[in-house]
Amino acid sequence: MSFVHDAGGTRYVFPDLKAVMACASPQRSGDELAGVAAQSAAERVAARRVLADIPLKRFLQDTLVPYEADEVTRLILDGHDPAAHRPIAQITVGEFRDWLLDPAVTASELTSVAPGLTPEMVAAVSKLMRNQELITVAAKCRVTTAFRTTLGLPGRLGSRLQPNHPTDDPAGIAAVILDGLLYGIGDAVIGINPAADSVDGTVELLRMLDDIRLRLDLPAQSCVLTHVTNAIKAIERGAPTDLVFQSVAGTEGANRGFGVDLALLQEAREAALSLGRGEVGDNVLYFETGQGSALSAGAHHGVDQQTLEVRAYAVARAFKPLIVNTVVGFIGPEYLYDAKQIIRAGLEDHACGKLLGLPMGCDVCYTNHAEADADDMDVLMNLLSVAGVTFLIGVPGADDVMLNYQSLSFHDILSLRHQLNLRPAPEFDAWLSRLGMLDDAGRIPPRLRSDEPVRRLETILKAAA
């Protein structure tokens, strides 16, 4: 069934729902590369007018990626909760936008309706929203998860400490961990992207991280961002594994490109749960996503990249992760060309993930060949923090020397906490207080009143390295 919109003497014809969704998306280079983008701003507006009048229930009947050919589509439709969907079952996409923005609609209502939302419904409504509206909706959503720290609570901003090293040198990694902890970074996770992706290397790094945790009595979870199959083998070898990591995408074919399927992700979750290492909760998975991954794998089915990104959140939601983050500018300008597209994508990803019930974070980042710079990342990190982002990623000096891209620095995240009156996770906050690292207002001061915490941490981390 085609969709038609007449405006100003011009007739716009969209052959199917997939085309309406793609043409309604804000301009981005990935959709242009895929040949699915609107050909003009006028066509984009026409597609949004059409989309606003489409009933939400249409997305349960008209699949963008075929049910028979894709296990992600089957996961979405087979797991749909009709009871949760009932309050919004009779409204259109445009009316859904109005409902979400209604100040009378509470966080608890958004939580209760989340199991009744499909990613296509959420992607559709986001295409009708301005950036400020995405921020408003995301800020209302509350998603709480826990392992050794509790994430997503009001008034909190979590952080991932990313101590990557070009050669996985233990002393270099320990030095970055010390730097990050002194800025109060690491309450969401201390997560290493290994330079050598092997089971032996993974086990060695996991043991080092756990030794540091035990020596410091640190309430935090660690993760080595190796492939999920390596993590399962490491668990079988008895490695002290807190979180299992995996990149995921929104189609079966794209996930196959990552070397995973839903059964493997379930196996990984069960393996991590079997260790019983969580202290305040049992969310044991860490997922990363990014717009453009399905297109880069040649598995996009002609669907726009933002809708496919939100479908990846349905994959993540099925496995109850501790954290999920979009590495928003990491895939490159082929998919998000400039700062305007990166900022918009970051706000879309965060709001859509939160609406689906996920603990969304963001790697506020860009590659050096994108039309973006650190000033643009300053804008995005502030917008996401106002929107209630669960966590942000920090690297030394905002420059990851192993992955060769630009992210946020430790002091960027600390400055956000100061200016917006946000705190780390409560368990981590209490640990900082016990070490004497907080001032009278409960904040990490620019200068510690005593160098005792620094010397204590240095001694412990040198021993661990």
Side-chain angles (χ1 to χ4, degrees), residues 204-224:
E204 182 179 353
L205 289 172
L206 285 170
R207 287 175 176 162
M208 173 190 171
L209 288 170
D210 201 50
D211 186 33
I212 289 172
R213 178 184 70 83
L214 293 171
R215 289 172 183 265
L216 294 177
D217 191 26
L218 178 65
Q221 40 279 332
S222 64
C223 183
V224 175

Side-chain angles (χ1 to χ4, degrees), residues 162-176 191-196 205 400-403:
Q162 184 167 298
N164 295 344
H165 191 278
T167 64
D168 292 338
D169 176 63
I173 291 171
V176 176
I192 302 172
N193 297 87
L205 289 172
D400 191 303
V401 297
M402 195 277 281
L403 292 176

Side-chain angles (χ1 to χ4, degrees), residues 185-447:
I185 306 302
D187 54 323
V189 67
I190 300 175
I192 302 172
N193 297 87
D197 197 15
S198 68
V199 178
D200 289 342
T202 297
V203 171
E204 182 179 353
L205 289 172
L206 285 170
R207 287 175 176 162
M208 173 190 171
L209 288 170
D210 201 50
D211 186 33
I212 289 172
R213 178 184 70 83
L214 293 171
R215 289 172 183 265
L216 294 177
D217 191 26
L218 178 65
Q221 40 279 332
S222 64
C223 183
V224 175
L225 281 70
T226 187
H227 192 268
V228 65
T229 52
N230 287 343
I232 292 171
K233 291 175 183 176
I235 291 172
E236 291 171 348
R237 290 193 191 182
T241 305
D242 292 341
L243 305 183
V244 172
F245 166 83
Q246 184 56 48
S247 295
V248 293
T251 69
E252 179 179 339
N255 282 323
R256 192 182 306 120
F258 284 135
V260 300
D261 58 20
L262 301 180
L264 181 60
L265 296 177
Q266 181 60 28
E267 179 185 351
R269 181 172 184 268
E270 291 172 358
L273 285 172
S274 72
L275 300 180
R277 293 174 59 82
E279 296 176 5
V280 295
D282 62 357
N283 301 110
V284 293
L285 292 179
Y286 173 14
F287 292 120
E288 284 190 346
T289 68
Q291 289 194 26
S293 58
L295 176 57
S296 67
H300 61 101
H301 296 269
V303 179
D304 68 272
Q305 68 181 35
Q306 189 249 342
T307 298
L308 292 178
E309 170 73 2
V310 187
R311 282 171 55 96
Y313 304 154
V315 174
R317 178 171 65 173
F319 299 99
K320 300 178 175 60
L322 177 74
I323 47 176
V324 180
N325 77 265
T326 166
V327 282
V328 64
F330 184 74
I331 301 182
E334 298 84 358
Y335 307 98
L336 296 170
Y337 178 72
D338 58 14
K340 183 178 179 66
Q341 294 186 15
I342 292 171
I343 290 170
R344 172 69 190 192
L347 296 176
E348 286 172 347
D349 295 351
H350 176 245
C352 291
K354 292 283 283 294
L355 276 172
L356 287 173
L358 286 176
M360 287 300 297
C362 185
D363 192 351
V364 176
C365 64
Y366 63 100
T367 57
N368 288 310
H369 60 311
E371 293 294 321
D373 59 27
D375 287 338
D376 302 312
M377 300 306 102
D378 289 346
V379 172
L380 181 53
M381 74 178 188
N382 276 277
L383 294 177
L384 286 169
S385 298
V386 172
V389 71
T390 301
F391 75 104
L392 297 171
I393 291 179
V395 303
D399 184 5
D400 191 303
V401 297
M402 195 277 281
L403 292 176
N404 293 312
Y405 79 114
Q406 310 305 309
S407 184
L408 299 183
S409 68
F410 300 145
H411 64 268
D412 286 333
I413 298 173
L414 181 61
S415 72
L416 288 169
R417 286 174 173 164
H418 282 194
Q419 69 196 36
L420 297 175
N421 196 28
L422 300 170
R423 303 286 287 269
E427 300 85 355
F428 195 88
D429 204 21
W431 177 79
L432 293 170
S433 180
R434 290 197 301 272
L435 283 181
M437 291 176 59
L438 304 180
D439 65 13
D440 294 337
R443 307 188 315 176
I444 293 178
R447 295 183 180 180

Side-chain angles (χ1 to χ4, degrees), residues 141-156:
C141 296
R142 281 288 151 217
V143 182
T144 305
T145 57
F147 188 78
R148 287 195 189 91
T149 59
T150 305
L151 304 175
L153 295 171
R156 307 281 175 173

